[in-house]
Amino acid sequence: MNVFFGAICFSLNIVLFSVFLSSPTLRKKHRNRILMILGLADTFNTLAILFMGKNRVELYTEVIQTHNLPTRTAWQCAIEPWLILRGIGDIWPPVVQMVIGIQRALAVFAPIWFHKNGRNRSSFLFGSTLVILLPTLLIGFVIAYINRNMKVLYYCGRKAAFGKNYAIFIYIINIFGYLFSFLINCITMIKASSTINKLVRRQIINVRYSLVISFISFILVSIPNMISILSVHYEEVLSFISKPSTYFTCINSGINIFVYLSLNAEFRHQFKYLFCNKKRVVTYGEAEKASKGSKTRHHVDLVVHSVHSLA
């Protein structure tokens, strides 16, 4: 199941990047670069779940064939490639969403300051989230190295490699990271919708993406992780509830493409242009130029006709 969900969601993110990168107009906008950074963080999570499934299949197959449980140490678990990827996938996406939420709030609550100082929003997002991600990962590996000779459960995991306290810390990041992002986006949307300032109201479309994505993440990740953090102390009672949280996390990392298809007309047109019949699809740029030149149906028909002629 992990391999299946991981592969499907990883493929969806590859499609997402294909759409963004295939259009110069899409990839030049800071808004879309921000969405691509979030997609990159989510891609690490899908790869982690895919490789975790592959690792478990190989490990359990060996146990069944040999009838022996392999002996592992905390450090051996920590340097497993899938667990390194899982660390990135656990921490980076919620941190990215928190910083995006803060950026959206600044654009709405301090629009003049934001537009004067926030020109490199995507670069700031990438750099600031890495500054949080890398030390957080390093702390986990320091803990694992200190306990490098400690025997742990043979199938490894966050608690086995990095200890119970660090595992709880990761759960807290997932719970409160997405919760904070959802709440701040709700507040920002209310503020943007209730003002008459045109500069602020222009942010509504950006906040809308963040609000929908953070809501989905809160439902699929924060709530299951609330249950998982309880399972640290009551594992036998709640393990059957927390097990599906891995699948929900994976789905959360692959579902963003459907949000953009629903809310972003430019993304939707480029998707159709790439993956549907190009002879029948008018690109977003052509349709936009036609609508600017005239609002009449006659002019739009001329654009459609010209595209068929060129095809």
Side-chain angles (χ1 to χ4, degrees):
M1 291 297 291
N2 287 348
V3 171
F4 173 77
F5 277 110
I8 293 296
C9 294
F10 174 75
S11 301
L12 290 173
N13 281 329
I14 295 300
V15 173
L16 183 148
F17 280 110
S18 300
V19 176
F20 276 128
L21 296 176
S22 65
S23 169
T25 304
L26 281 174
R27 66 173 178 263
K28 287 180 181 178
K29 293 182 178 179
H30 278 292
R31 179 182 70 197
N32 295 329
R33 290 179 182 179
I34 287 172
L35 297 179
M36 282 192 281
I37 293 171
L38 177 60
L40 179 63
D42 282 325
T43 300
F44 274 99
N45 191 45
T46 61
L47 278 174
I49 293 171
L50 192 159
F51 284 116
M52 178 175 69
K54 182 176 181 295
N55 174 270
R56 294 287 169 84
V57 169
E58 294 172 351
L59 183 62
Y60 295 154
T61 300
E62 179 185 348
V63 170
I64 291 170
Q65 291 175 347
T66 63
H67 300 285
N68 290 317
L69 299 181
T71 302
R72 309 294 292 276
T73 65
W75 183 248
Q76 286 175 325
C77 288
I79 60 175
E80 288 275 3
W82 72 266
L83 198 52
I84 296 173
L85 289 171
R86 190 75 195 276
I88 299 172
D90 279 331
I91 299 168
W92 203 10
V95 171
V96 169
Q97 286 202 31
M98 282 194 294
V99 176
I100 291 175
I102 293 170
Q103 286 185 332
R104 300 290 187 241
L106 289 173
V108 170
F109 286 93
I112 297 175
W113 179 90
F114 180 79
H115 285 280
K116 185 183 296 185
N117 299 282
R119 294 184 177 180
N120 297 316
R121 299 187 298 276
S122 56
S123 300
F124 175 80
L125 174 68
F126 187 75
S128 62
T129 54
L130 285 184
V131 167
I132 298 172
L133 170 67
L134 296 178
T136 305
L137 287 175
L138 182 60
I139 291 171
F141 284 101
V142 169
I143 293 172
Y145 186 77
I146 292 173
N147 300 316
R148 58 187 178 277
N149 295 321
M150 185 176 68
K151 304 300 182 190
V152 297
L153 294 172
Y154 71 97
Y155 54 82
C156 296
R158 286 172 294 194
K159 285 181 284 185
F162 307 116
K164 184 180 292 185
N165 291 333
Y166 188 82
I168 293 174
F169 172 68
I170 296 298
Y171 287 135
I172 290 173
I173 289 179
N174 277 267
I175 293 169
F176 291 101
Y178 292 123
L179 176 60
F180 172 83
S181 178
F182 174 58
L183 292 177
I184 197 170
N185 280 309
C186 287
I187 295 169
T188 304
M189 177 61 82
I190 293 170
K191 172 65 176 177
S193 302
S194 61
T195 186
I196 59 173
N197 187 322
K198 292 182 179 180
L199 190 62
V200 172
R201 290 190 65 83
R202 282 170 52 189
Q203 293 296 323
I204 290 178
I205 187 171
N206 295 333
V207 179
R208 185 173 58 175
Y209 299 135
S210 302
L211 180 61
V212 173
I213 291 170
S214 62
F215 174 72
I216 293 172
S217 299
F218 173 69
I219 297 297
L220 293 178
V221 182
S222 290
I223 293 177
N225 272 278
M226 290 178 191
I227 298 172
S228 293
I229 200 170
L230 293 175
S231 73
V232 171
H233 300 287
Y234 304 101
E235 188 168 357
E236 293 182 1
V237 178
L238 293 174
S239 61
F240 71 98
I241 300 175
S242 62
K243 292 293 184 184
S245 64
T246 301
Y247 311 142
F248 295 150
T249 301
C250 191
I251 292 170
N252 178 66
S253 293
I255 204 171
N256 290 351
I257 187 173
F258 300 107
V259 176
Y260 307 148
L261 285 171
S262 301
L263 302 180
N264 190 330
E266 191 173 6
F267 183 90
R268 185 165 58 249
H269 277 79
Q270 186 64 17
F271 178 89
K272 291 178 181 178
Y273 181 75
L274 285 178
F275 299 105
C276 301
N277 189 344
K278 295 182 181 181
K279 294 182 180 180
R280 296 184 179 182
V281 177
V282 180
T283 64
Y284 183 81
E286 291 164 339
E288 190 176 37
K289 289 177 182 178
S291 64
K292 286 181 179 179
S294 173
K295 294 183 179 180
T296 63
R297 184 180 181 86
H298 175 69
H299 283 74
V300 177
D301 289 338
L302 286 176
V303 175
V304 177
H305 177 72
S306 66
V307 173
H308 281 284
S309 300
L310 289 174

